[in-house]
Amino acid sequence: MRILHVNKFLYRRGGAEGYLLDLAALQRDAGHAVEFFGMDHPENLPMRYSRHFPAHVEYEPTPAAVSARLALAGRMLWCRSAQRGMAAVVDDFAPDVIHFHNIYHHLSPSVIRAATASGATLVMTLHDYKLVCPTYRFLDQGAICTACVHGGLRQAPLRRCKDGSLAASALAAFEVGAHRLAGAYASLDALVCPSRFLHGQLTAAGIHRDRLVHVDNFTSVDVPQRAGAGEGIVYAGRLSPEKGIDVLIRALARLPDARLDIAGDGSSRAALVDLADAAAPGRIRFHGRLDTDRLRLLLAGARVSVLPARWLENQPLAVLESFAAGVPVVASALGGIPELIEPGPCGALVPPQDPAALAAALGDYLADPDRARVHGHAARARVLAQHAPAAHLRAITALYGDIRATRSPAAVETPA
């Protein structure tokens, strides 16, 4: 098959980008022809069709000039340059399948419109909650909120959930509402939900119920394995408020001999470094963003991994990557996380924003190497059974095939 992946960023920026690049590599290894469409960005990997990408733009921080704000709002609603570029790539590459990922804001659903007439199978993997939550993350100024699921998009401006701003919240709600009214996602054949939690939220909101498909995420299993019980605690991921790293640092302060390695970067890094210096001086190392090989080595040396989220995670790759290394995970009991972590066999679930509970769960592993070793083996067994690359590739390929089969003339019943 000829497969075109579409995402606003085309470098390993976060979980969504890691997923699409790894899936594309699997597909190429299986003999498929794979190409990409996205936004022009200085960190993008070399791409065949980069000359057709729309210009690089950033939405944070919001520009002060009204004219610049209006231009950004217009692009967010419908990006004509993305539509033209996408049409050119589709015309030249002639894909059998177009697989969309995170296209919001920087590309907009205009890229779906450009693909609709191609006759290709159109699939979109949902990496967040944008189709039902204007702020993506089910957060209202840092607090968990799912009001828009049952209360509709008007809840966003009523609650001013986007940065406490009526204007920003109204614009975010208008964007989602306008795309719904325009049927911007109507031509998609399937929307893939990595977690049952996400599937359930979209179903409850009545969003494309007939086309939702649950397919678990995957991670590489050909990675360095932990030798023995490992040492210390590792957090790998974005450094931003919803990830709860401040809670983790306060938990570490309750474990006098524990050491923590933090891999990743983000808007909260400076504040977290200051907090670490005050709460646990000399016991926390900030590594910044690590390449894949260095991150895998860091995980393989850990006794336990941690995800102290204060938001509703979808199906975090950080958990799967730790499991693949044979490392148990302590994480918040939120969103799709409980689908991955069975308390006891491969990790522990704790209440969010509770440093004492988090410290107790981490302390149990630090104090008991045998427990960490046994749970690590169980964690890896879970990945091998349910989240291995080969199984995921089969599931996605089967999804493509099922859609293509229902579209074929032979599948259409001829009237008697």
Side-chain angles (χ1 to χ4, degrees):
M1 283 187 288
R2 301 176 67 79
I3 303 165
L4 180 66
H5 284 283
V6 184
N7 192 69
K8 53 190 177 183
F9 302 111
L10 294 174
Y11 65 97
R12 203 169 285 271
R13 179 185 176 103
E17 290 76 30
Y19 169 83
L20 81 91
L21 292 171
D22 291 342
L23 174 59
L26 288 177
Q27 291 169 331
R28 279 179 168 161
D29 289 346
H32 302 295
V34 179
E35 291 298 340
F36 301 88
F37 182 82
M39 177 184 70
D40 185 35
H41 193 281
E43 294 189 60
N44 278 353
L45 298 172
M47 294 291 165
R48 173 181 172 184
Y49 289 110
S50 58
R51 67 188 183 279
H52 295 298
F53 293 179
H56 176 214
V57 66
E58 292 292 346
Y59 284 85
E60 300 292 343
T62 304
V66 174
S67 59
R69 290 186 181 188
L70 290 174
L72 286 180
R75 175 164 172 161
M76 180 174 68
L77 290 171
W78 203 261
C79 183
R80 295 190 181 278
S81 60
Q83 184 174 2
R84 289 192 299 269
M86 181 72 175
V89 172
V90 169
D91 183 61
D92 185 74
F93 183 56
D96 301 304
V97 175
I98 303 175
H99 195 144
F100 300 94
H101 299 270
N102 280 354
I103 60 173
Y104 320 114
H105 288 15
H106 303 75
L107 298 179
S108 84
S110 63
V111 292
I112 300 176
R113 181 68 57 83
T116 300
S118 68
T121 295
L122 305 183
V123 172
M124 184 172 184
T125 293
L126 304 177
H127 298 279
D128 56 37
Y129 308 108
K130 178 65 174 180
L131 294 189
V132 68
C133 171
T135 63
Y136 291 85
R137 297 174 181 171
F138 282 148
L139 288 175
D140 176 357
Q141 301 180 63
I144 291 174
C145 173
T146 58
C148 288
V149 173
H150 297 288
L153 298 175
R154 67 182 181 276
Q155 294 296 325
L158 285 174
R159 295 167 180 266
R160 303 189 180 199
C161 57
K162 175 67 173 172
D163 304 326
S165 166
L166 174 60
S169 303
L171 178 60
F174 178 75
E175 176 199 5
V176 177
H179 289 155
R180 286 185 188 176
L181 287 173
Y185 301 93
S187 59
L188 293 173
D189 296 297
L191 293 94
V192 178
C193 302
S195 69
R196 289 187 294 274
F197 176 80
L198 172 57
H199 190 288
Q201 295 300 312
L202 290 170
T203 300
I207 306 298
H208 306 303
R209 288 174 177 164
D210 58 328
R211 285 171 284 156
L212 299 178
V213 181
H214 170 230
V215 181
D216 282 319
N217 273 334
F218 76 99
T219 191
S220 174
V221 294
D222 185 18
V223 299
Q225 300 296 294
R226 185 179 62 181
E231 298 293 336
I233 304 164
V234 167
Y235 167 85
R238 190 169 61 250
L239 306 189
S240 53
E242 73 276 6
K243 290 294 188 176
I245 305 134
D246 57 315
V247 179
L248 171 58
I249 292 172
R250 291 188 174 94
L252 195 80
R254 296 168 177 262
L255 300 168
D257 299 321
R259 306 188 77 84
L260 169 65
D261 287 285
I262 296 178
D265 212 341
S267 60
S268 298
R269 179 168 179 168
L272 292 171
V273 169
D274 290 343
L275 178 60
D277 288 342
R283 296 193 288 121
I284 300 177
R285 291 188 297 177
F286 288 82
H287 296 267
R289 188 190 299 171
L290 299 180
D291 61 36
T292 301
D293 290 340
R294 290 171 64 200
L295 177 59
R296 287 173 177 172
L297 287 173
L298 184 67
L299 285 172
R303 179 165 297 182
V304 61
S305 179
V306 61
L307 185 60
R310 53 163 56 95
W311 75 299
L312 300 169
E313 294 270 3
N314 182 7
Q315 191 174 83
L317 291 174
V319 173
L320 299 182
E321 289 165 352
S322 296
F323 282 4
V327 177
V329 180
V330 173
S332 302
L334 289 173
I337 294 175
E339 298 171 30
L340 299 177
I341 299 176
E342 299 173 36
C346 53
L349 294 173
V350 297
Q353 305 201 79
D354 188 336
L358 183 58
L362 292 170
D364 286 345
Y365 282 109
L366 296 176
D368 191 344
D370 290 335
R371 183 172 184 262
R373 186 165 34 246
V374 170
H375 288 190
H377 287 317
R380 180 164 170 82
R382 181 185 178 95
V383 161
L384 292 171
Q386 298 183 38
H387 303 279
H392 185 83
L393 180 61
R394 284 194 299 271
I396 291 296
T397 305
L399 176 62
Y400 295 165
D402 289 345
I403 294 168
R404 289 165 60 79
T406 60
R407 286 180 162 196
S408 69
V412 178
E413 241 179 67
T414 305

